[in-house]
Amino acid sequence: MTKPASSHQTLDQAGEFAESVPHEKLARSRAAQAVLWVLLIAAVLFAPAVLYPVFVMQLLCFALFACAFNLLIGFTGLLSFGHAAFFGGAAYICGHVVKVWGLPPLLGILGGGVFAAALGYVVGSLAIRRQGIYFAMITLALAQIVYFLALQLPFTGGENGLQGIPRGTLFGLDLNSPLPMYYFVAAIFLAGFLIIYRTIHSPFGQVLQAIRENEPRARSLGYNVDRFKLIAFVLSASLAGVAGSTKAIVFQFASLTDAHWQMSGEVILMTLIGGMGTIFGPVVGSVVIITLQHYLADIGSWVQVVIGAIFIVSVLLFRRGIVGELARMLKISSV
């Protein structure tokens, strides 16, 4: 007859089990992240062998845009309706710097990112004074000002947009050739994605998530919440600007569509469908939306109806997004 375990042994075993569960979940999450990183890098490197390079470059630009937006809404809890201002505004600045000033495309993209960061500082400084829908509406109003300026300023080309942006050369490579241009864009995307990944997993990123979960408690712990929000907003805006600048170089064109409020709606849609608050979700969401827009272009405006129906289904059946639901079913976090 076995001797019953003492209460101390039972408590010790329960404690060990309670500690083992998070460790097991953390181990699964790290393994899943490693697998997803390998798949992402492999897909980026070998996509031109299967798909049209310009199409994949468009995917990468919007994937970076969605990831930058997700850093703000998914990990800080701030909903911006005006992120198109950074995406489109940086595209115009990059195009002007490269076309008129004659600077290399890399400097043009960096210039667009710096402009977006500066604009993000101005917009963020005003918007973070409010919360919720008021924050969102302030960002939308300021973004509409940027759209009006893009329409009226002489160097933007007005309704015709800024056309004929040269791709130029980089380290002796002619970026007018598809493959050199593709791997240039791929390097920018991977660098931007890595910055976002490291930010999320840094102490700074943990504070942002604490603010998202319980802002009053974060304040009570002594954190300067407004400063953290502003830094997150500026970082998100700058990476969105890099994405918009890269898109302008790829298509050699910056248009009002890039700065329109509908672009802000599309990036929200990409993030929600892929999985808000996940690392790889915005990439999946952007692939879904851009692929649908590309392959259903023949049906005209009906493509918006199809995307809207997919969004409704996703909200009803996949409330965490595609990646979020997969992570839930596999009991994995932080993907």
Side-chain angles (χ1 to χ4, degrees):
M1 186 174 180
T2 59
K3 182 180 178 180
S6 66
S7 59
H8 293 292
Q9 289 175 328
T10 305
L11 290 173
D12 290 341
Q13 291 172 357
E16 291 175 0
F17 177 75
E19 290 179 357
S20 65
V21 172
H23 287 306
E24 291 177 0
K25 192 172 184 179
L26 181 61
R28 287 199 301 268
S29 298
R30 288 176 176 174
Q33 288 182 24
V35 171
L36 289 173
W37 266 106
V38 171
L39 292 175
L40 178 64
I41 294 174
V44 170
L45 291 178
F46 298 107
V50 181
L51 300 171
Y52 186 50
V54 175
F55 170 66
V56 185
M57 284 189 276
Q58 182 182 10
L59 287 179
L60 294 179
C61 292
F62 279 100
L64 180 57
F65 184 26
C67 289
F69 177 76
N70 185 51
L71 177 64
L72 191 65
I73 186 175
F75 292 95
T76 314
L78 298 175
L79 173 60
S80 169
F81 283 157
H83 251 50
F86 313 121
F87 185 80
Y92 279 109
I93 295 300
C94 175
H96 182 77
V97 166
V98 173
K99 181 179 180 180
V100 179
W101 294 0
L103 295 181
L106 182 59
L107 291 180
I109 291 172
L110 292 176
V114 170
F115 166 80
L119 181 61
Y121 180 81
V122 174
V123 174
S125 298
L126 296 173
I128 62 173
R129 301 171 186 267
R130 296 292 181 266
Q131 296 180 352
I133 190 62
Y134 302 104
F135 172 89
M137 296 311 295
I138 290 173
T139 59
L140 176 60
L142 295 174
Q144 287 300 100
I145 294 175
V146 174
Y147 176 82
F148 176 79
L149 292 175
L151 179 63
Q152 298 296 327
L153 292 177
F155 81 92
T156 63
E159 294 182 353
N160 295 322
L162 186 59
Q163 304 179 24
I165 301 173
R167 289 184 177 179
T169 60
L170 181 68
F171 305 126
L173 297 175
D174 184 9
L175 296 182
N176 290 302
S177 300
L179 285 182
M181 185 64 205
Y182 172 80
Y183 285 109
F184 173 56
V185 174
I188 292 174
F189 165 75
L190 290 175
F193 188 80
L194 182 61
I195 290 173
I196 294 171
Y197 181 85
R198 290 304 306 153
T199 300
I200 293 169
H201 290 86
S202 68
F204 173 77
Q206 297 302 313
V207 174
L208 293 182
Q209 294 177 59
I211 294 172
R212 177 196 64 190
E213 296 298 330
N214 195 330
E215 183 176 331
R217 185 176 182 183
R219 288 185 185 275
S220 69
L221 292 174
Y223 291 109
N224 189 337
V225 171
D226 289 342
R227 183 168 66 89
F228 278 93
K229 284 183 177 180
L230 182 58
I231 294 173
F233 195 96
V234 171
L235 180 59
S236 176
S238 63
L239 291 172
V242 169
S245 301
T246 306
K247 178 178 176 290
I249 296 295
V250 170
F251 291 96
Q252 300 180 277
F253 182 67
S255 68
L256 290 173
T257 304
D258 298 330
H260 195 261
W261 64 265
Q262 186 175 350
M263 184 64 72
S264 297
E266 286 186 8
V267 75
I268 295 174
L269 187 62
M270 294 173 190
T271 305
L272 292 178
I273 288 181
M276 185 179 68
T278 63
I279 300 170
F280 295 88
V283 178
V284 175
S286 61
V287 170
V288 171
I289 297 301
I290 299 301
T291 301
L292 287 174
Q293 290 178 346
H294 180 77
Y295 287 101
L296 298 180
D298 292 339
I299 64 175
S301 59
W302 282 96
V303 67
Q304 300 300 329
V305 177
V306 174
I307 293 175
I310 292 174
F311 176 68
I312 293 172
V313 172
S314 298
V315 170
L316 294 177
L317 301 180
F318 304 99
R319 297 186 64 182
R320 295 176 178 86
I322 297 172
V323 173
E325 288 295 334
L326 289 175
R328 182 187 64 84
M329 289 188 293
L330 298 175
K331 297 180 179 180
I332 296 171
S333 62
S334 300
V335 294

